[in-house]
Amino acid sequence: KQEVTQIPAALSVPEGENLVLNCSFTDSAIYNLQWFRQDPGKGLTSLLLIQSSQREQTSGRLNASLDKSSGRSTLYIAASQPGDSATYLCAVIMDSNYQLIWGAGTKLIIKP
Amino acid sequence: EAQVTQNPRYLITVTGKKLTVTCSQNMNHEYMSWYRQDPGLGLRQIYYSMNVEVTDKGDVPEGYKVSRKEKRNFPLILESPSPNQTSLYFCASSLASHQPQHFGDGTRLSIL
């Protein structure tokens, strides 16, 4: 059964730093991997989607990489800002049934 | 504006009193899904619907019912709520199961 793990569970860094969030999964038979952002009291916002055949995707200050064979993805945030404070979730869609399997998230705090 | 709308956003109720959480999308999406989010566990799928009149169980369907009589609506029904159903619930929709999902803002249920 697919398991998605995100480490660390929480992270606090000063404004301006570059940082990396990690996501690992146990079953490499995925259709794609997505990174989401969750703000308190709000729904989930899709940040980046990487198809299984791709290695990375970029959007502004965000870069997500995927190494399917090793079961890992990273979300790189450049020049962090207080507005980046949120919980970041990764999720994989399985090849077999297109079910979305989620990690528990990393709570990120950017200190001004 | 394209959106997924859930109601209510917050509800405190008592054990055994039937309740319904409504979900409506205006994007003509085929696929809709319900998730619950609990601390440290990530999101878990309750039920999903590939199209009108087609619904299937997710990972944690016990204690829940759904219906899909119209494409735009996918209500979640708790016939006899219990305290272990206290959680944050999200409805989502997408063009197809493997496409990126759009999420509602969430419904926080407290069952006393």
Side-chain angles (χ1 to χ4, degrees), chain A residues 2 5 16 30-31 34 56 59 65 67 70 88 93 97 111-112:
Chain A
Q2 177 73 278
T5 304
I30 64 171
Y31 184 81
Q34 300 176 59
E56 65 178 337
S59 176
S65 69
D67 184 343
S70 67
Y88 291 80
I93 284 189
N97 58 8
K111 298 174 288 186

Side-chain angles (χ1 to χ4, degrees), chain B residues 48-62:
Chain B
Y48 64 96
S49 170
M50 303 288 276
N51 208 331
V52 176
E53 301 292 1
V54 179
T55 63
D56 282 293
K57 296 177 181 179
D59 291 324
V60 288
E62 295 78 19

Side-chain angles (χ1 to χ4, degrees), chain A residues 12-60:
Chain A
S12 179
V13 300
E15 179 179 6
E17 284 200 6
N18 304 323
L19 58 98
V20 174
L21 306 181
N22 296 295
C23 173
S24 62
F25 48 94
T26 56
D27 185 345
S28 63
I30 64 171
Y31 184 81
N32 63 38
L33 182 144
Q34 300 176 59
W35 282 93
F36 292 84
R37 170 183 172 137
Q38 182 177 19
D39 294 283
K42 291 289 185 181
L44 297 104
T45 302
S46 180
L47 298 173
L48 289 164
L49 183 152
I50 312 176
Q51 298 292 352
S52 62
S53 58
Q54 297 176 319
R55 299 285 292 183
E56 65 178 337
Q57 282 286 333
T58 298
S59 176

Side-chain angles (χ1 to χ4, degrees), chain B residues 71-84:
Chain B
K71 184 182 273 192
R72 64 181 293 125
N73 296 321
F74 191 43
L76 179 69
I77 303 156
L78 285 71
E79 293 272 4
S80 182
S82 62
N84 65 12

